[in-house]
Amino acid sequence: MTIGRLIAVVGPSGVGKDSVMAGIYDALPHMHVVRRVITRAPGLGGEDYEAVSVSKFEEMARAGAFALHWGAHGLFYGVPADVETHLSEGTDCLTNFSRSALAEAARIFPHFTVLNITAKPETLALRLASRARETEEEIAKRLTQVDKPLPAGLNVIHLSNDGLLADTIARATLLLQPASA
């Protein structure tokens, strides 16, 4: 049986990860989009996530509810353990990810792929300001992370999202097509 790929979508804040992921799923509906657990208030837009308190997150982590979890930007993120079932059934799984958790994920998941989405700093600044989720100080801090390197040795697909979203999604779906047997 073929094991599915865990495809970690990474990139700086404002690069359009959620929009690109939604477009990929529309084009490749056989993929499973992982719904992360996050210690963020509910209803803030962007990705579909399960909002929990820090204490609930810690309880879930102790109970083994996550295949992987990490902290970034003052929040905690968890990939639910049921992702392993989807992968073992041969389903490719797509999930928003943090660059800080990539090395650990590569150790855990046998067919781990990184979709690294990039955009110019001026594009990111405009997008962050328009989503109105962060203060100017928070935006400035996030923009300092734009050039943060990825760990060495990963299977990385690079994708620019400076142009039209439809064009980015079309390139992404071509790049993510499963290899032919």
Side-chain angles (χ1 to χ4, degrees), residues 96-120:
N96 194 321
F97 230 78
S98 174
R99 290 174 281 192
S100 65
L102 292 174
E104 180 66 15
R107 286 190 286 278
I108 294 171
F109 301 103
H111 297 291
F112 185 66
T113 300
V114 177
L115 178 61
N116 183 38
I117 304 175
T118 61
K120 296 174 187 164

Side-chain angles (χ1 to χ4, degrees), residues 108-175:
I108 294 171
F109 301 103
H111 297 291
F112 185 66
T113 300
V114 177
L115 178 61
N116 183 38
I117 304 175
T118 61
K120 296 174 187 164
E122 54 271 19
T123 301
L124 298 173
L126 287 170
R127 289 179 184 161
L128 287 170
S130 70
R131 75 184 189 182
R133 263 191 344 219
E134 295 93 0
T135 65
E136 285 184 31
E137 295 81 24
E138 290 169 330
I139 290 171
K141 184 177 179 183
R142 287 180 182 259
L143 289 175
T144 66
Q145 300 294 311
V146 169
D147 294 325
K148 186 176 177 181
L150 299 177
L154 299 174
N155 177 23
V156 180
I157 298 169
H158 297 280
L159 179 69
S160 171
N161 187 23
D162 275 308
L164 296 174
L165 179 60
D167 294 341
T168 301
I169 292 166
R171 285 192 313 276
T173 57
L174 286 174
L175 292 167

Side-chain angles (χ1 to χ4, degrees), residues 32-112:
H32 171 71
V33 177
V34 176
R35 185 172 186 251
R36 297 187 303 171
V37 176
I38 306 175
T39 58
R40 176 188 290 155
L44 293 179
E47 75 177 287
D48 178 26
Y49 59 95
E50 179 181 348
V52 298
S53 66
V54 172
S55 60
K56 177 66 174 174
F57 188 93
E58 291 169 343
E59 177 186 316
M60 292 173 76
R62 283 191 302 274
F66 305 123
L68 177 68
H69 60 88
W70 65 90
H73 304 295
L75 301 171
F76 293 102
Y77 301 82
V79 174
D82 70 352
V83 74
E84 294 169 344
T85 301
H86 294 284
L87 294 170
S88 70
E89 293 170 347
T91 303
D92 287 340
C93 296
L94 191 64
T95 185
N96 194 321
F97 230 78
S98 174
R99 290 174 281 192
S100 65
L102 292 174
E104 180 66 15
R107 286 190 286 278
I108 294 171
F109 301 103
H111 297 291
F112 185 66

Side-chain angles (χ1 to χ4, degrees), residues 17-29 94 165 169-170 172-173:
K17 294 182 293 286
D18 299 319
S19 298
V20 172
M21 286 177 60
I24 291 169
Y25 179 72
D26 286 345
L28 303 172
L94 191 64
L165 179 60
I169 292 166
T173 57

